[in-house]
Amino acid sequence: MNRQLLMVQNMSQSIEVLDQRTQRDLQFVEKMEVQLKGLENKFKQVEDGHENNLARQYKSIKAKMEELRPLIPVLEAYKADALLVRQFKEEAANVTELLGTLQEQLGGLDYQELHSRVMSLEDRLRACMQRLACGKLTGISEPITIKTSGSRFGSWMTDPVAPPGDNRVWYMDGYHNNRFVREYQSMYDFMTTDNFTSHRLPHPWSGTGQVVYNGSIYFNKFQSHTIIKFDFSTSLISRSRQLDFAGYNNMYHYSWGGHSDIDLMVDEGGLWAVYATNQNAGNIVLSQLNPNTLQIIHSWTTNHPKRSAGEAFMICGTLYVTNGYSGGTKVYYAYSTNSSTYEYIDIPLTNKYSHLSMLDYNPRDRALYAWNNGHQ
């Protein structure tokens, strides 16, 4: 029961963040809508009352304004999103109240029915979050510890493009000399049980930069700059490719070490690789990869030294880098692939257990997954 309550509290935090963002955007959007309608009325008054040069000028401006009219359905969509988030808040509060009551006195609502309601709420919240438009990172909420397990280093993840109802969790302990991936059927199973299926990879992995995407795991083969795509359904390698010039074997690792030379990640735009090369003087290179062929679609060279980065993650085509991995941590560097520009930012990141060895964004959840000193 405590695990169910934790899951709903986790969702409630996400809902609260969504609510704050949609309410802020809604205020801007509603103000813009009023301005657009006001302009329309002014144009009509001028056209009706004057047939002179001034009216012609207003007509020219009105033509420009017509280009903005497609924004109005977007405004309506924002209002619908805000309403949906409010409904999620009410539903999460109801489920939380039910769970609290059940903790005090067992009975009443059937446990399986309650579990089903929690799972349904989680799936629909994910769908809502996925639909909302991309934006810029402005803050990171307090972390929630899902589980305490494994060694100091590792990675865990869910598939960001898994079909509805597929909530499997993938778990990889250690950063080298291991080739066993655990598969849990759901986040609930991961949190509450030790029941898992074990997959044996054909090669050991290097670092903690693995990612599961569309039913396959992508990982850096140990002591190489080879990226491997391994299909879980067939237990076969479906593609492998060398990432030319990429440093490996602790040549250009994150500041915590751990053979973290090549970091694979996924955002709303697809699959990415973060690494460094001699040609770029050990600074971060960011490449978008074709998930089927592993060919580089496009690359960007940054001015940020890879070894000075604590961890990094992608959101909406922007690479975010932390200033360290232990103690006080913040996200302080952002490189936008849309504009090929960078900026220094200051977004605090609570480093609860003082040693981050994996930090990845999941666009399905709009959440950061972390491995922090044996805590997920």
Side-chain angles (χ1 to χ4, degrees), residues 91-275:
E91 189 169 350
N94 290 339
V95 174
T96 303
E97 186 178 349
L98 279 170
L99 284 164
T101 303
L102 282 174
Q103 280 186 308
E104 295 173 6
Q105 52 181 38
L106 294 175
L109 187 67
D110 179 73
Y111 179 80
Q112 289 301 323
E113 181 186 342
L114 181 60
H115 178 66
S116 176
R117 284 181 63 175
V118 173
M119 293 301 102
S120 173
L121 177 62
E122 186 177 36
D123 283 346
R124 288 186 292 113
L125 176 60
R126 281 176 170 173
C128 174
M129 295 170 92
Q130 189 70 26
R131 205 179 67 245
L132 292 175
C134 262
K136 184 177 181 179
L137 181 67
T138 57
I140 300 171
S141 66
E142 288 295 305
I144 295 174
T145 303
I146 301 297
K147 192 168 186 172
T148 301
S149 63
S151 65
R152 195 175 191 183
F153 316 97
S155 62
W156 72 291
M157 65 218 79
T158 60
D159 189 337
V161 293
D166 183 351
N167 300 311
R168 287 178 292 173
V169 176
W170 311 92
Y171 175 96
M172 305 170 74
D173 191 12
Y175 63 81
H176 72 301
N177 282 343
N178 192 353
R179 59 175 71 185
F180 289 96
V181 182
R182 293 183 183 180
E183 173 194 329
Y184 294 84
Q185 279 304 300
S186 66
M187 188 69 73
Y188 177 74
D189 282 353
F190 178 64
M191 294 166 68
T192 59
T193 74
D194 284 323
N195 299 327
F196 58 85
T197 301
S198 187
H199 300 267
R200 187 178 188 273
L201 299 178
H203 305 284
W205 66 75
S206 188
T208 59
Q210 308 86 8
V211 65
V212 172
Y213 185 61
N214 198 23
S216 295
I217 185 166
Y218 298 78
F219 67 97
N220 175 207
K221 180 183 175 183
F222 186 54
Q223 293 184 329
S224 76
H225 56 186
T226 299
I227 297 172
I228 291 177
K229 176 185 179 184
F230 179 82
D231 190 331
F232 282 121
S233 63
T234 62
S235 296
L236 295 172
I237 294 175
S238 56
R239 186 71 63 181
S240 68
R241 186 178 296 276
Q242 289 188 344
L243 193 58
D244 290 340
F245 307 113
Y248 64 93
N249 206 24
N250 271 335
M251 179 182 291
Y252 294 124
H253 53 72
Y254 287 133
S255 55
W256 63 270
H259 294 261
S260 54
D261 304 77
I262 297 173
D263 192 1
L264 301 171
M265 52 190 73
V266 168
D267 73 349
E268 291 80 358
L271 180 66
W272 302 84
V274 172
Y275 54 101

Side-chain angles (χ1 to χ4, degrees), residues 260-331:
S260 54
D261 304 77
I262 297 173
D263 192 1
L264 301 171
M265 52 190 73
V266 168
D267 73 349
E268 291 80 358
L271 180 66
W272 302 84
V274 172
Y275 54 101
T277 64
N278 286 333
Q279 289 82 351
N280 197 36
N283 294 327
I284 290 175
V285 177
L286 176 60
S287 294
Q288 187 170 21
L289 305 180
N290 182 313
N292 297 318
T293 65
L294 298 181
Q295 289 181 311
I296 293 176
I297 298 171
H298 190 78
S299 287
W300 293 260
T301 54
T302 79
N303 63 346
H304 193 292
K306 178 75 161 47
R307 288 188 175 189
S308 297
E311 270 290 339
F313 54 91
M314 291 289 297
I315 301 179
C316 295
T318 295
L319 177 71
Y320 294 95
V321 179
T322 72
N323 65 334
Y325 63 92
S326 61
T329 307
K330 65 180 180 179
V331 180

